[in-house]
Structure formats: structure tokens, C-alpha cells
Amino acid sequence: EEIRDQLDQYYGIHAKPQQLKFTYGTAGFRTKANILDSVVFVVGILASLRSKYLDGQTIGIMITASHNPPEDNGIKLCDPQGEMLEQSWETYATTLANLNTKDEIFNEIIKLSTQLNINLDSPSNVVIARDSRDSGPILTSSTIDGLKVLNTQYKDFGLLTTPQLHYLVKSINTLNSTTSYGEPTEDGYYQKLSNAFKKIYNNFITPASSLSSSASSPQKIKITIDAANGIGGPKIDLLIQKYLNDLIDYQIVNNQYQDPLALNVGSGADYVKTNQRLPNNINPVPLQLYASFDGDADRVVFYYQDEEGLFKLLDGDKISTLLTSFLKDLISKSGLNAEIGVVQTAYANGSSTNYITDVLKVPVVCTPTGVKHLHHEAAKFDIGVYFEANGHGTVLFSDNFISVLKNTSPSTPQEQRAIETLFELSNLINQTVGDAISDLLTVLIVLTIKQWNPANWDELYTDLPNRLTKVIVPDRYVFKTTNAERQLTSPEGLQEKIELTVKKYQNGRSFVRASGTEDAVRVYAEANSRAEADQLSHDISELVK
Ligand code: NG1
Ligand code: ZN
């Protein structure tokens, strides 16, 4: 009865416009902000049910549309250990979001609670945060109305990056346990990352070993960050200023996060990766390192200008190979036995896959697009490195391997340093989800230890020229794939035609799949030269149309 009363009170202002259809996809619900109100309201209800179902553990809600344009927004749920919402619940989310009346919603709540054996009177807890979009505050308050329907305790953390919210959820749910992840505050996040960074730094960089001109103080680590005018800017600013100012010399551009209309415009990781060019407001100095975050700071890509003035991208594949080679070296120096593996998607550059397999001799697993697939596979290794080419990724350390690191007594100083570094990397690298801030600090410390400039990093392997394009088709759902999205099974006959075309190109590779976040089909093509990659991309797009 109480639930009915609450729905009576709140449903009216959050009723769904009849004609709209919504789907909980790889990025949660994401669309134009002005049609999201009814959706976020029911997500509040669903988060409450999920928390009650999990004995009151805290569920996270993030309001963001990542790299999408300013007028978009979105909402996604985060499970108790900071992971993405369990798949079966994505279906409940979609069902709830498409109900058209108060009675239907009430009946669905009752149906789910019966089916899943949820006690509706039991406690439920939620934390919520948002990126810097101007629709954020109003959508937050509509979500909170949804939370009130089932009497959920909540805390609104306001502006955060997506990975910070994941950090908080895991920290809250592990509080006072032996697996405590960190202090469940925003500052706790900064402390955890900066402490790990400093420990690794001090283990390797001493004034004597540095190449600095003045022997007494090593040079500061230099980085310029394009924050896409999003929430990552003020957050990394806070972290470095408060905790790492004496080690890092940094500059943030495109940092107008208070101007929501500037978000992701001519800037950010997606812009840089897709267009393979510099963002606005960067005048590159050759061989200096630059980084771009996306709008909610869960992706990062790096780049530099080479001595000939050419723009060079260091994307998710380059991050993955840099970290894998460093970690592999540490494992061997530690004297420990650990299985390291890399997880990629079909969008990974072919050269990166060859480099990891043939040079690093580390196994590579290919999964469908979407972080939850990569995350799941990475969790099977002692150290699982996963990055999408677009810069979203992280490194997972298994619980078992972390306890090995904690309990091993090293027999040499070299072993000790390797073991300590591996352990601190597990603290520096966000274990819940890809995190631009955490990944940035990790790349910086690895480059500093190796004394590498961006060109040294880039030399590990040479990317095959590639092109990623979108083709608008009448119905993208007819494009069905197999083999981790690398081959089409439908429409009939198309895969054969693609293969015949690809055969004409040296080192040619191409695949076609329907986007999960946009109404389009994506065509990826790579080949030996820029011109051939473009031609292949064109040929395949013509087949798809
Ligand atoms: P779709 O639209 O399904 O290709 C895109 C990205 C994914 C992932 C999701 C979620 C590419 C080619 N695809 O998915 O990697 O990041 O968005 O944001 O970059
Ligand atoms: Zn993002």
C-alpha cells in the first residue's frame, strides 16, 4: 500500500510519453536528455530493487552520456563490487523503462519481487553521481524520486567521474572487511592513487639515478591533458595539486567544465581517436606527451608530434602493450609465477595483436565490443590487461595473486622492488572499471621508470593504417555476427563478399557490425598503407549499403 501511495505521489510528474521506446544497452540508457525523465525515475526504482535483492548492499547510479554531445544524457547502474550491472537485470531495466502507466509499474515491482524473492520492506542503499551536463541536476532529482518509491537510503555525491563512482561503490561495500578497497570518499580515491604513485616513484627514482640536469632534484614528469571540457579536468587538477604537485608538471586544456555546451566539442578522447588529429587548443611541442580524456573520464588516449611534425596517436592498444611489457618484466624480476593475458576486441590494430603474441609472447583473447565482455575475460588471469582501442580499459589483479604479493618474502632487493611495484600497481590501477585518471598516472610512471619519451613508446610496433566509419542502413539489426564480431552470419552472402574483397589487399582486414550505441553499422578496415586502408573501407561500405 505504501508503494502505491509513493507512486501516486511521484509518478505523475515522471510519466512516460507513450510513443517512446528505450533499451538498456552496453552504456545503460543513453539518448537526448529531454526525453530521459521517465527513464531515470524507473532506474531509481530498479536500483532500489537490486539493492534489496542483494541484502542492502550499495548500488551505484551514474548519470552521464560520456563522449556524446552536450544535449544527450544517460544513466547506468553499477553493481556492489564496482562492476557493470548483471546482464539479466538489463532486461528488467528495459521492461520497466517501457511501461506506460503507474499500474503497470506497480505490477512489475510486485512481479519482480515475487519472481526474485525480494522483501520489499528490507533496506536498500544507493549512491548517485553525475557528469557536468546541464541536464544532470534535474535528472538526478528525478532519479531520487524513484529511489523514494521503495524507501531507499541514498547519498548524492554530485559531480564525479564515472570511475570515481565505481570506486566509491566498491569501497562502501568492502568497508571494514579484509578486502577493503579504500576510504569511501572522493578524497580517499585521491589518496589511494597518489600514495601508490609515490611509492612506485620512490622505489625507482632517486636523485642519483635520475638523468636530471641538477643532480639533486629529478625533473618533474611533464603532461598536457585535454579534459574535453568535462568533469575529468577539475578532478585530476584536484588530485595532482593536492598530492602530486612536486612530481608532476601538468597543464589542463579544454577545462571549461562549467560550460556544459562546450562538452566534448572539438576535444576529448573520442574526437582525437576517431579523427586521428589533435583536439582544439593544443599547440604541440615535438616529442612532448599529450593526453585526452572523454566526457566522464573513463577513457584516455595519448599522442605526440614527431620530429617531422606528424601527429602520432597512442591509443588503447598502445597503452595495453606498454603496460603488458612492463608488467611482464616485473613478473619475471619478482621470481613469482603469474599468468598474464591481454584482452582485446576486433577493433584492436592487427600490429598490436601480433606484437603481444609474437614479441611479448603473451596470450591474447578477443571478445565482443563492450567493457563487460573484456572485463570478464581479463578476470580469468592472475594479471589481465584489457583495453578497447578507443582508450577504455584497465588491468585486473586476481585476489589470489594479490595475496601472493602480500605474503611472499623476497630473496633479493630486485625481487622486493618488483613485488612492491606489482602490489602498488594494483592500487594505482582502478580495479573496477577503465579510469582515465588512474590510467594516465600509470602510463606516466611507466614512461618515467623506463625513461622513455612518447616516440620510444610508439616504437614498440607500427600501427597498420586503419579507418573506422559508420554506414547508415535501413535496419541495423539484420547484421548479426559470430567469432567475437569478426564475421557476419547475416545478411546472407555478405561475409563471403567481404572476404573476397579483403583478399585483394596486403595485410587487409575488415569487419562489419551493428553499433550497440548508435543507429548505424560500423565498418572497420586496415591495410598496409593509408590509401589501401581507405580504399578497403570504401569497398566494404559499398557492400554494406
Ligand atoms: P558501439 O557503438 O557498440 O560500437 C561504442 C564503442 C565501444 C564502447 C561502447 C560504449 C567503438 C568502435 N565502439 O560501442 O568500444 O566503448 O561505445 O561506450 O569504439
Ligand atoms: Zn566515457
Side-chain angles (χ1 to χ4, degrees):
E1 271 322 291
E2 203 198 332
I3 297 171
R4 248 194 216 287
D5 292 347
Q6 300 282 27
L7 269 177
D8 281 338
Q9 186 178 344
Y10 293 111
Y11 181 76
I13 39 172
H14 304 298
K16 173 177 167 294
Q18 299 281 333
Q19 71 285 5
L20 299 176
K21 290 269 307 155
F22 302 98
T23 311
Y24 196 101
T26 39
F29 292 108
R30 197 181 287 186
T31 182
K32 298 294 159 219
N34 61 7
I35 57 167
L36 261 178
D37 188 79
S38 66
V39 175
V40 302
F41 175 71
V42 298
V43 168
I45 295 177
L46 190 75
S48 306
L49 286 168
R50 180 93 183 130
S51 175
K52 289 179 199 294
Y53 174 73
L54 296 171
D55 303 321
Q57 289 188 82
T58 297
I59 297 297
I61 302 179
M62 185 71 198
I63 296 182
T64 176
S66 187
H67 57 279
N68 284 38
E71 66 275 15
D72 290 11
N73 215 331
I75 187 163
K76 54 189 172 186
L77 293 182
C78 161
D79 263 352
Q81 294 303 309
E83 68 279 46
M84 306 278 170
L85 176 67
E86 188 191 295
Q87 201 140 356
S88 56
W89 281 66
E90 292 183 1
T91 319
Y92 309 148
T94 299
T95 304
L96 266 176
N98 290 297
L99 300 177
N100 282 311
T101 66
K102 189 172 60 183
D103 286 343
E104 283 176 1
I105 292 180
F106 179 78
N107 292 338
E108 186 66 20
I109 294 173
I110 301 304
K111 188 181 139 202
L112 283 173
S113 66
T114 315
Q115 184 186 326
L116 299 167
N117 208 359
I118 300 170
N119 175 1
L120 292 175
D121 298 322
S122 66
S124 40
N125 297 285
V126 163
V127 290
I128 183 166
R130 60 186 152 89
D131 72 16
S132 57
R133 286 162 203 272
D134 56 0
S135 56
I138 179 88
L139 290 175
T140 300
S141 89
S142 301
T143 312
I144 289 173
D145 282 353
L147 295 173
K148 288 176 184 161
V149 171
L150 291 176
N151 246 322
T152 296
Q153 297 285 320
Y154 66 90
K155 185 164 160 59
D156 176 8
F157 277 90
L159 295 170
L160 289 180
T161 71
T162 294
Q164 286 182 317
L165 191 265
H166 285 249
Y167 164 91
L168 287 171
V169 169
K170 182 162 179 145
S171 299
I172 290 166
N173 288 309
T174 56
L175 195 61
N176 301 324
S177 89
T178 50
T179 57
S180 161
Y181 191 59
E183 191 198 306
T185 61
E186 187 180 335
D187 196 55
Y189 170 90
Y190 300 132
Q191 286 180 32
K192 176 164 176 158
L193 267 57
S194 60
N195 283 336
F197 187 92
K198 280 189 261 188
K199 282 188 188 152
I200 301 170
Y201 185 95
N202 291 332
N203 244 338
F204 284 91
I205 319 295
T206 55
S209 79
S210 125
L211 288 183
S212 144
S213 47
S214 70
S216 56
S217 64
Q219 240 162 44
K220 282 193 184 181
I221 303 166
K222 234 176 138 73
I223 182 72
T224 302
I225 303 156
D226 152 34
N229 297 310
I231 191 60
K235 300 305 184 187
I236 189 138
D237 196 12
L238 209 61
L239 187 160
I240 301 183
Q241 229 185 77
K242 192 160 173 195
Y243 294 110
L244 295 173
N245 220 356
D246 48 345
L247 301 183
I248 301 179
D249 172 10
Y250 70 109
Q251 196 195 346
I252 306 176
V253 299
N254 301 320
N255 197 16
Q256 301 304 116
Y257 73 98
Q258 310 94 325
D259 175 6
L261 291 181
L263 181 64
N264 296 322
V265 176
S267 61
D270 199 62
Y271 176 89
V272 171
K273 168 77 180 162
T274 311
N275 299 298
Q276 307 189 19
R277 59 174 290 184
L278 290 171
N280 296 341
N281 302 315
I282 284 189
N283 299 312
V285 177
L287 298 184
Q288 275 194 18
L289 186 63
Y290 299 83
S292 283
F293 290 0
D294 74 341
D296 61 338
D298 60 358
R299 284 193 199 178
V300 61
V301 296
F302 297 84
Y303 41 92
Y304 69 104
Q305 194 183 59
D306 71 7
E307 279 157 317
E308 272 95 62
L310 285 176
F311 168 84
K312 296 287 192 139
L313 180 67
L314 297 156
D315 64 1
D317 303 334
K318 291 278 180 181
I319 301 172
S320 172
T321 46
L322 176 73
L323 301 188
T324 304
S325 79
F326 185 68
L327 286 161
K328 200 190 164 200
D329 191 40
L330 284 175
I331 294 171
S332 104
K333 288 180 172 146
S334 73
L336 298 173
N337 258 326
E339 204 198 346
I340 181 169
V342 174
V343 187
Q344 300 187 314
T345 72
Y347 292 105
N349 196 277
S351 294
S352 74
T353 315
N354 292 340
Y355 177 79
I356 300 165
T357 313
D358 301 341
V359 181
L360 296 179
K361 308 224 181 291
V362 167
V364 177
V365 180
C366 185
T367 73
T369 304
V371 181
K372 64 176 175 237
H373 299 117
L374 290 105
H375 192 97
H376 185 75
E377 284 300 320
K380 294 179 179 168
F381 295 96
D382 295 316
I383 301 181
V385 181
Y386 76 85
F387 278 86
E388 292 188 305
N390 62 30
H392 190 165
T394 192
V395 181
L396 299 182
F397 292 74
S398 73
D399 291 343
N400 178 54
F401 186 57
I402 288 181
S403 74
V404 169
L405 291 171
K406 279 185 186 158
N407 298 319
T408 304
S409 350
S411 40
T412 65
Q414 170 175 287
E415 280 184 14
Q416 178 172 357
R417 185 163 84 167
I419 289 170
E420 275 174 19
T421 304
L422 284 167
F423 180 68
E424 291 306 335
L425 283 171
S426 79
N427 290 319
L428 178 58
I429 306 176
N430 195 321
Q431 296 296 293
T432 63
V433 76
D435 182 337
I437 291 178
S438 152
D439 290 340
L440 177 101
L441 293 175
T442 306
V443 164
L444 290 181
I445 199 73
V446 172
L447 293 177
T448 304
I449 290 169
K450 288 180 173 282
Q451 302 191 344
W452 275 3
N453 70 22
N456 301 135
W457 172 13
D458 202 14
E459 274 160 18
L460 289 182
Y461 64 88
T462 307
D463 269 325
L464 283 170
N466 60 89
R467 188 62 70 197
L468 178 59
T469 46
K470 270 191 286 200
V471 181
I472 309 294
V473 295
D475 178 12
R476 76 186 204 268
Y477 295 104
V478 303
F479 291 80
K480 300 205 174 75
T481 61
T482 182
N483 189 17
E485 302 178 329
R486 289 171 290 192
Q487 289 168 307
L488 286 171
T489 54
S490 148
E492 219 183 317
L494 185 52
Q495 183 60 34
E496 288 71 24
K497 288 186 192 159
I498 292 174
E499 282 168 20
L500 282 176
T501 307
V502 168
K503 268 200 194 130
K504 298 182 196 152
Y505 292 83
Q506 220 197 337
N507 280 324
R509 185 170 72 91
S510 180
F511 66 94
V512 172
R513 60 176 274 279
S515 162
T517 61
E518 285 177 79
D519 192 8
V521 163
R522 294 196 200 283
V523 173
Y524 178 87
E526 67 185 30
N528 248 1
S529 68
R530 170 85 278 145
E532 288 167 294
D534 288 347
Q535 186 60 44
L536 178 58
S537 165
H538 175 265
D539 291 355
I540 302 294
S541 300
E542 286 302 315
L543 292 177
V544 166
K545 277 179 192 160

